[in-house]
């Protein structure tokens, strides 16, 4: 990997562009799937192409995180802003698709500041710059960012709008990229600017892109069919169903800006961002059920155009503006989701004369309610994933007492166990592997600098998941290394009581997750304890591990839990500086009673995840008879379903780990 890069300039332009795009896409499990997209007449041998792409990818990532260049980059950006007559720029940590993960090309905030957290916003002014994140990243901000260049601020305690009230000067022009902000966010910034006698103005082309000399191109990863064996419903059927609703509502077309919605609607999967198998694209679904897909067609696998069929028209991404203008010129009614779309396409439609209907993305709810084929696939994926997790837990039980195992080694071992299943496509997120006090950091990520040993007397928390063609998994287990303290056992058992309460819950149709959230917290509350995150998030079917519109949370959403929805069940407790506890299974909402006396259907949960819960941490005196029965029944299921799928050593460990409490 230290040899000089081949000269891309000597290669044919189309080939060089392909290589750059492939290198700008993720390499799940060390593979670059985009290599299959190379032209057949490529002058590079397969091994040469793979080596070149790997080197390019390494160079892109190193350049983005090059903190030594931050001062120079900040100066260059200020120069570009001055050239445009701007006094400032708002830089959110997002792209035009507003998803959880960003392609390399869109990691502007990291490139400018050196901060690699998953939540952040920066505002650059001529003499000041602020960088915000939440409480998860207070320490990371100080470690990664030069405080002489950026003011490091808490986004809740010191919000950007309050900072701007004193930072902006009369007459200042504060720039923003309208693709990267929702309408609501821009209204707040515009109001603050107006109050300061300044102005918030949309930029034409992102100023950072103008000074980022080696900015990665848009990613190139294959877009492949997601067949009926996994999807369960034809794309034509899904499109017809949504189109009928559009026609009923008097809507001519809906603009879909969420790539995961498009992946579900068209039964396709891609690989443009980490851990979530979709292709970056946008679409216009018409009331006649035809669809215009705006995507780089170089991504399409040979079989994909035929899979999409004649009613799906393909366009380059930059053709979207003209399509929106045409809708406006025809005075058509266009639906768009203001919560998930950037302000740019909404403003473009309004300027062109379209009649706008602001409403939820129509794919969200049907995508969340998995059909029978998807549910069967998800169950099968959890069986294979449960076998992998059980092999890991058996290994941990053997090796951890010997000492020497650290967070990164344990995390790698779990990935190795998952890789034994050849159907694994990727992890569903970067694993959270936290020992002792690191486990108390809810969204902790182990690094070489923070890596801790799994020491006797500590708790070890591992939150992980896999992406399989038939399902997405997400599981957290908390393990006692050696003998736990009584405090640990009691806290763990209260978390377990909350987990069981959700697993056993029955509720009438129309109940939203926020109405169930207190069930998970009640046992903790009785001891004056709580946790500062949601109890459950939706999960996709070989799509995003964090999927709306439903969830179980204090704040929550009013979206009712419907049969077929997948949601996590993950109460926890975190003692800062000491330990963290979380027990997470995925559950599926299912109908329990079709019609009760009140005329409503009643629902409950089917637990999908199959792996032992650490019996060494259970204080049985805190459990009721019904709760003990639940633990024993769950472990009996794990033993029955996972035992035949693992090796003899793991099976023997499993027998002990799932014995009755």
């Amino acid at each position: 990997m230290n040899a000089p890069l081949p000269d891309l300039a000597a290669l044919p332009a189309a080939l060089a562009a392909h290589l750059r795009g492939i290198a700008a896409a993720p390499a799940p499990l060390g593979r670059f799937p985009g290599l299959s997209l190379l032209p057949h007449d490529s002058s590079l041998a397969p091994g040469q192409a793979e080596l070149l792409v790997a080197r390019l990818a390494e160079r892109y990532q190193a350049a983005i995180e090059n903190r030594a260049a931050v001062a120079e980059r900040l100066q260059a950006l200020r120069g570009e802003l001055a050239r445009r007559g701007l006094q400032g720029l708002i830089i959110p940590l997002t792209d035009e698709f507003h998803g959880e993960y960003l392609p390399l090309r869109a990691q502007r905030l990291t490139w400018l500041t050196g901060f690699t957290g998953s939540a952040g916003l920066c505002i650059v002014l001529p003499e000041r710059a602020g960088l915000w994140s939440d409480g998860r990243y207070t320490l990371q901000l100080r470690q990664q960012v030069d405080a002489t260049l950026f003011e490091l601020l808490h986004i809740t305690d010191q919000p950007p709008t309050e900072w701007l009230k004193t930072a902006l000067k009369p007459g200042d022009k504060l720039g923003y990229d309208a693709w990267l902000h929702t309408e609501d966010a821009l209204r707040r910034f515009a109001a603050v600017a107006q109050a300061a006698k300044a102005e918030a103005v949309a930029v034409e082309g992102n100023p950072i892109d103008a000074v980022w000399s080696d900015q990665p191109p848009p990613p190139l990863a294959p877009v492949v069919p997601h067949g009926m064996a996994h999807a369960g419903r034809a794309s034509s059927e899904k499109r017809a169903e949504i189109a009928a609703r559009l026609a009923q509502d008097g809507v001519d077309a809906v603009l879909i800006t969420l790539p995961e919605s498009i992946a579900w609607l068209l039964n396709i999967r891609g690989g443009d961002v980490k851990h979530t198998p979709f292709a970056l694209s946008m679409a216009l679904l018409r009331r006649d059920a035809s669809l215009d897909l705006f995507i780089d067609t170089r991504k399409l696998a040979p079989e994909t155009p035929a899979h999409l069929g004649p009613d799906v028209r393909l366009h380059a991404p930059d053709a979207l503006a003209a399509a929106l203008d045409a809708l406006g010129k025809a005075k058509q009614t266009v639906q768009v989701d203001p919560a998930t779309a950037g302000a740019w396409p909404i403003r473009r439609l309004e300027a062109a004369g379209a009649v706008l209907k602001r409403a939820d993305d129509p794919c969200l709810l049907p995508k969340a309610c998995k059909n029978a084929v998807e549910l069967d696939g998800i169950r099968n994926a959890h069986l294979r994933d449960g076998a992998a997790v059980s092999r890991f837990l058996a290994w941990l039980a053997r090796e951890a007492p010997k000492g020497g195992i650290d967070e990164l080694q344990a995390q790698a071992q779990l990935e190795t166990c998952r890789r034994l299943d050849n159907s694994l496509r990727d992890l569903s997120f970067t694993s959270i592997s936290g020992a002792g006090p690191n486990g108390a950091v809810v969204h902790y990520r182990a690094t070489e600098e923070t890596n801790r040993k799994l020491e006797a007397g500590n708790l070890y928390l591992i939150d992980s998941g896999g992406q399989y063609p038939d399902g997405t998994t997400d599981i957290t287990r908390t393990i006692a290394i050696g003998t736990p303290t009584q405090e640990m056992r009691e806290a763990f058992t209260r978390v377990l009581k909350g987990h069981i309460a959700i697993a056993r819950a029955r509720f009438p149709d129309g109940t939203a997750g926020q109405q169930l959230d207190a069930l998970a917290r009640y046992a903790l509350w009785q001891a004056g304890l709580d946790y500062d995150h949601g109890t459950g998030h939706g999960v996709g079917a070989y799509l995003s591990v964090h999927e709306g519109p439903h969830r179980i949370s204090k704040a929550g959403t009013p979206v009712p839990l419907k049969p077929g929805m997948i949601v996590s069940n993950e109460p926890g407790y975190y003692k800062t500086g000491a330990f963290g506890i979380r027990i997470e299974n995925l559950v599926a909402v299912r109908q329990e009673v079709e019609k009760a006396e009140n005329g409503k259907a009643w629902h409950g949960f089917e637990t999908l995840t199959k792996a032992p819960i650490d019996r060494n941490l259970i204080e049985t005196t805190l459990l009721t008879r019904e709760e003990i029965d639940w633990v024993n029944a769950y472990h009996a299921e794990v033993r029955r379903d996972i035992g035949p799928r693992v090796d003899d050593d793991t099976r023997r460990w499993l027998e002990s780990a799932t014995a009755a409490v």
Side-chain angles (χ1 to χ4, degrees), residues 461-521:
L461 185 153
I462 177 72
D463 186 350
S464 67
Q467 289 284 12
Y468 304 88
D470 48 356
T472 301
T473 70
D474 182 2
I475 173 175
T476 307
R477 289 295 182 263
T478 305
I479 309 300
I481 308 300
T483 304
T485 65
Q486 186 62 20
E487 179 189 23
M488 292 172 178
R489 288 169 56 85
E490 290 184 5
F492 181 91
T493 305
R494 291 183 183 278
V495 172
L496 177 60
K497 287 171 74 71
H499 181 94
I500 296 170
I502 294 294
R504 298 180 65 231
R506 298 180 76 204
F507 47 92
D509 187 45
T511 301
Q514 66 191 77
Q515 294 168 272
L516 301 181
D517 183 79
L519 297 178
R521 300 177 191 270

Side-chain angles (χ1 to χ4, degrees), residues 387 638-647 651 654:
V638 171
R639 187 167 59 249
R640 179 196 69 204
D641 295 341
I642 302 301
R645 296 173 173 270
V646 295
D647 58 275
R651 191 177 305 111
L654 193 65

Side-chain angles (χ1 to χ4, degrees), residues 81-92:
L81 296 178
R83 188 186 68 78
R84 298 187 185 204
L86 298 170
Q87 283 69 50
L89 180 68
I90 308 169
I91 306 144

Side-chain angles (χ1 to χ4, degrees), residues 118-284:
S118 63
L121 182 135
C122 180
I123 299 177
V124 173
L125 298 175
E127 297 175 357
R128 297 178 67 182
L131 178 60
W132 287 262
S133 192
D134 58 40
R136 294 173 294 169
Y137 296 111
T138 302
L139 179 60
Q140 188 172 332
L141 277 172
R142 295 188 192 126
Q143 291 173 335
Q144 293 184 329
V145 181
D146 187 341
T148 67
L149 299 175
F150 299 92
E151 300 170 43
L152 307 180
L153 304 160
H154 192 288
I155 201 158
T156 303
D157 299 340
Q158 304 151 300
T161 48
E162 291 299 312
W163 185 82
L164 283 170
K165 287 179 181 178
T166 57
L168 283 176
K169 299 175 182 176
D172 280 354
K173 290 187 176 181
L174 178 65
Y176 61 84
D177 184 338
W179 274 110
L180 308 183
H181 300 269
T182 63
E183 288 183 301
D184 283 348
L186 288 181
R187 274 193 285 269
R188 290 192 293 271
F189 284 120
V192 170
Q194 185 178 20
K197 296 184 171 54
E199 182 184 7
V201 297
V203 298
E204 191 67 36
N206 195 295
I208 290 182
D209 298 352
V211 297
W212 188 348
S213 59
D214 194 22
Q215 185 179 26
L220 275 180
V223 179
V224 299
H226 188 61
M228 286 290 287
H230 296 315
R233 292 182 69 199
S235 171
S236 57
E237 182 183 342
K238 297 176 184 178
R239 285 184 278 121
E241 181 180 284
I242 294 175
R245 282 209 306 274
L246 296 179
Q248 184 178 353
D249 294 342
V251 173
D252 296 295
V254 58
L255 174 64
I256 304 172
T257 61
L258 284 179
E260 63 192 81
S261 289
I262 296 168
W264 171 84
L265 183 62
L266 296 180
N267 288 343
I268 55 176
R269 296 295 187 267
D272 284 342
V273 300
K274 282 184 175 181
H275 306 314
T276 309
F278 57 54
L280 297 176
S281 56
M282 294 189 182
L284 282 166

